[in-house]
């Protein structure tokens, strides 16, 4: 078996192919038939830093979250509805928790949207078709934002206890 996936286009990353069964069949199909890259917590930043819009699927465990397989089946249809608007990547099941934590995702399945290396938004759960079309269209138009991760509160050393308000 080939240990490195071939780049789907010149200049694309060559990401090592997972050595075990990394995902359910419909997620595997995204890589095999639709050019999805494999990314993990070590390579996701490099892959998302490429130009243009990029979408990472966190499908979740197929038994606990069967709707992840529905999203994997719908994703190629979304690509057809928005031709050449975004590239896709999938995360091996063993690495999904680390990627989800990095970008503040707490629900399975989730589509994480990036543009030119910056986080944009996420669409969580399986949606009706018209909801997906509107949500993806909005995601492809909105500006980058901060991932919804847990931040560290900043407190001034010179602040008085009566200055506890954030405004």
């Amino acid at each position: 078996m080939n240990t490195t996936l071939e780049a789907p286009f010149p200049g694309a990353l060559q990401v090592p192919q997972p050595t075990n069964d990394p995902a359910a069949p419909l997620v595997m199909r995204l890589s095999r038939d639709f050019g999805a890259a494999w990314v993990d917590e070590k390579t996701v930043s490099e892959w998302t830093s490429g130009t243009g819009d990029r979408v990472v699927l966190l499908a979740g465990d197929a038994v606990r979250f069967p709707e992840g397989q529905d999203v994997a089946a719908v994703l190629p249809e979304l690509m057809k509805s928005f031709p050449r608007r975004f590239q896709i990547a999938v995360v091996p099941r063993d690495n999904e928790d680390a990627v989800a934590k990095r970008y503040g995702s707490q629900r399975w399945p989730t589509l994480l949207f990036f543009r030119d290396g910056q986080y944009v938004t996420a669409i969580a759960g399986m949606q009706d078709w018209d909801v997906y079309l509107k949500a993806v269209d909005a995601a492809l138009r909105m500006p980058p934002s901060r991932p919804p991760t847990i931040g560290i509160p900043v407190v001034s050393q010179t602040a008085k206890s009566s200055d506890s308000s954030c405004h």
Side-chain angles (χ1 to χ4, degrees):
M1 172 156 63
N2 185 4
T3 59
T4 302
L5 296 176
E6 294 199 22
F9 56 89
L13 296 174
Q14 290 191 348
V15 179
Q17 184 171 349
T19 55
N20 58 0
D21 185 14
L26 286 173
V27 175
M28 297 289 291
R29 176 179 163 253
L30 290 172
S31 174
R32 184 187 66 239
D33 298 344
F34 297 99
W38 286 102
V39 296
D40 60 19
E41 68 278 6
K42 296 173 188 155
T43 61
V44 66
S45 181
E46 184 179 358
W47 184 81
T48 59
S49 70
T51 58
D53 290 289
R54 293 170 179 244
V55 177
V56 175
L57 170 62
L58 299 172
D61 179 82
V63 174
R64 290 182 53 213
F65 306 105
E67 56 276 349
Q69 298 309 294
D70 297 335
V71 175
V74 168
L75 193 50
E77 298 305 315
L78 289 170
M79 293 173 68
K80 289 177 189 173
S81 294
F82 298 92
R84 295 182 293 283
R85 289 291 310 276
F86 59 90
Q87 296 177 46
I88 60 172
V90 292
V91 180
R93 181 65 204 114
D94 291 345
N95 303 96
E96 283 184 320
D97 290 336
V99 173
K101 184 177 179 181
R102 180 178 189 158
Y103 295 106
S105 179
Q106 298 180 9
R107 185 167 170 211
W108 307 103
T110 295
L111 296 174
L112 300 172
F113 286 77
F114 299 86
R115 182 173 309 113
D116 300 325
Q118 297 182 37
Y119 176 88
V120 175
T121 192
I123 301 172
M126 179 61 189
Q127 308 295 324
D128 289 334
W129 181 246
D130 58 333
V131 173
Y132 256 140
L133 289 177
K134 289 176 186 172
V136 171
D137 183 57
L140 295 174
R141 294 175 187 269
M142 66 179 54
S145 64
R146 184 180 175 279
T149 55
I150 298 172
I152 300 172
V154 177
V155 178
S156 169
Q157 288 183 336
T158 60
K160 298 178 184 127
S161 62
S162 62
D163 295 338
S164 62
S165 169
C166 64
H167 299 287

